[in-house]
Amino acid sequence: SRAFLEQHVRQSPGKPFFLYHAAQAVHLPSFAAPQFKGKTQAGPHGDFIHQLDWVVGELMAALEKLGVADNTLVIFTSDNGPETTSVVHMRADHGHDGARPWRGVKRDSWEGGHRVPFLVRWPARVKPGTTTAQLTSLTDVMATIAALTGAALPDNAAEDSFNLLPALL
């Protein structure tokens, strides 16, 4: 991901880019890289989440270093609530509940299985610290990016996707 950013800015300065970085660190099994093992007091899953935090920090630092951070929309989210076994162990062993305050976990019908963080960073357009009560879904990312780039979506594509730009801005 960092190499892509560096190459893009070098070869196409000023041109937009789309980077999808799929981190599996919230899913099981929890296998943190050796440099992250034992770094938290929250066991293997806590170490794995610590590694995810480091990776996101590295990507954010790369955007800053390349001078594109202010005008880059960064979305940090997940596809579902926390893994069942990680919640059970994190609750019992470390007093942490990744679904709190919602009931449920991944693969069930309770809200905790479906409500996920949806964090946005875009300093040029979104004021830091703002929040919205706007209902969102991962399906909305497609219509939002299409609106942002001026792309027209075909009538048979992204039927369930809604443009979130008004809520973001």
mmCIF file of all heavy atoms in Angstrom, residues 27-28 75 87 90 102 143 146 163:
data_model
loop_
_atom_site.group_PDB
_atom_site.id
_atom_site.type_symbol
_atom_site.label_atom_id
_atom_site.label_comp_id
_atom_site.label_asym_id
_atom_site.label_seq_id
_atom_site.Cartn_x
_atom_site.Cartn_y
_atom_site.Cartn_z
ATOM 1 N N HIS A 27 -10.159 -9.991 12.237
ATOM 2 C CA HIS A 27 -10.693 -11.341 12.093
ATOM 3 C C HIS A 27 -9.755 -12.362 12.719
ATOM 4 O O HIS A 27 -8.580 -12.115 12.922
ATOM 5 C CB HIS A 27 -10.883 -11.678 10.609
ATOM 6 C CG HIS A 27 -11.993 -10.893 9.990
ATOM 7 N ND1 HIS A 27 -13.313 -11.139 10.246
ATOM 8 C CD2 HIS A 27 -11.969 -9.854 9.126
ATOM 9 C CE1 HIS A 27 -14.059 -10.298 9.580
ATOM 10 N NE2 HIS A 27 -13.272 -9.501 8.895
ATOM 11 N N LEU A 28 -10.323 -13.507 13.001
ATOM 12 C CA LEU A 28 -9.517 -14.603 13.532
ATOM 13 C C LEU A 28 -8.957 -15.432 12.392
ATOM 14 O O LEU A 28 -9.534 -15.437 11.313
ATOM 15 C CB LEU A 28 -10.379 -15.480 14.442
ATOM 16 C CG LEU A 28 -10.876 -14.796 15.700
ATOM 17 C CD1 LEU A 28 -11.771 -15.752 16.482
ATOM 18 C CD2 LEU A 28 -9.735 -14.315 16.569
ATOM 19 N N ILE A 75 -11.261 6.518 4.692
ATOM 20 C CA ILE A 75 -12.392 5.893 5.374
ATOM 21 C C ILE A 75 -11.861 4.656 6.090
ATOM 22 O O ILE A 75 -11.222 3.807 5.489
ATOM 23 C CB ILE A 75 -13.499 5.479 4.381
ATOM 24 C CG1 ILE A 75 -14.058 6.709 3.659
ATOM 25 C CG2 ILE A 75 -14.607 4.715 5.109
ATOM 26 C CD1 ILE A 75 -15.003 6.366 2.516
ATOM 27 N N VAL A 87 -14.544 -11.674 21.227
ATOM 28 C CA VAL A 87 -15.348 -10.916 22.191
ATOM 29 C C VAL A 87 -15.438 -11.680 23.511
ATOM 30 O O VAL A 87 -15.241 -11.114 24.580
ATOM 31 C CB VAL A 87 -16.753 -10.618 21.629
ATOM 32 C CG1 VAL A 87 -17.680 -10.092 22.724
ATOM 33 C CG2 VAL A 87 -16.664 -9.610 20.501
ATOM 34 N N MET A 90 -11.967 -11.491 25.112
ATOM 35 C CA MET A 90 -11.599 -10.125 25.481
ATOM 36 C C MET A 90 -12.458 -9.638 26.650
ATOM 37 O O MET A 90 -11.968 -8.946 27.532
ATOM 38 C CB MET A 90 -11.727 -9.176 24.292
ATOM 39 C CG MET A 90 -10.739 -9.456 23.160
ATOM 40 S SD MET A 90 -9.006 -9.269 23.627
ATOM 41 C CE MET A 90 -8.837 -7.503 23.501
ATOM 42 N N TRP A 102 -23.712 -2.356 22.116
ATOM 43 C CA TRP A 102 -24.711 -3.143 21.417
ATOM 44 C C TRP A 102 -24.623 -4.619 21.793
ATOM 45 O O TRP A 102 -23.558 -5.135 22.076
ATOM 46 C CB TRP A 102 -24.565 -2.984 19.899
ATOM 47 C CG TRP A 102 -24.495 -1.554 19.522
ATOM 48 C CD1 TRP A 102 -23.404 -0.878 19.058
ATOM 49 C CD2 TRP A 102 -25.529 -0.575 19.624
ATOM 50 N NE1 TRP A 102 -23.705 0.433 18.858
ATOM 51 C CE2 TRP A 102 -25.003 0.648 19.196
ATOM 52 C CE3 TRP A 102 -26.851 -0.625 20.021
ATOM 53 C CZ2 TRP A 102 -25.751 1.823 19.162
ATOM 54 C CZ3 TRP A 102 -27.599 0.536 19.993
ATOM 55 C CH2 TRP A 102 -27.057 1.734 19.562
ATOM 56 N N ALA A 143 -21.615 4.703 -4.092
ATOM 57 C CA ALA A 143 -22.291 5.901 -4.589
ATOM 58 C C ALA A 143 -21.560 7.163 -4.145
ATOM 59 O O ALA A 143 -21.505 8.159 -4.883
ATOM 60 C CB ALA A 143 -23.738 5.925 -4.119
ATOM 61 N N ALA A 146 -18.475 7.511 -6.329
ATOM 62 C CA ALA A 146 -18.937 7.896 -7.665
ATOM 63 C C ALA A 146 -19.292 9.379 -7.691
ATOM 64 O O ALA A 146 -18.899 10.109 -8.611
ATOM 65 C CB ALA A 146 -20.124 7.041 -8.091
ATOM 66 N N ASN A 163 -25.374 8.242 -1.725
ATOM 67 C CA ASN A 163 -24.283 9.198 -1.638
ATOM 68 C C ASN A 163 -24.229 9.813 -0.238
ATOM 69 O O ASN A 163 -25.162 10.499 0.182
ATOM 70 C CB ASN A 163 -24.489 10.287 -2.702
ATOM 71 C CG ASN A 163 -23.455 11.370 -2.638
ATOM 72 O OD1 ASN A 163 -22.457 11.271 -1.928
ATOM 73 N ND2 ASN A 163 -23.690 12.441 -3.363
#
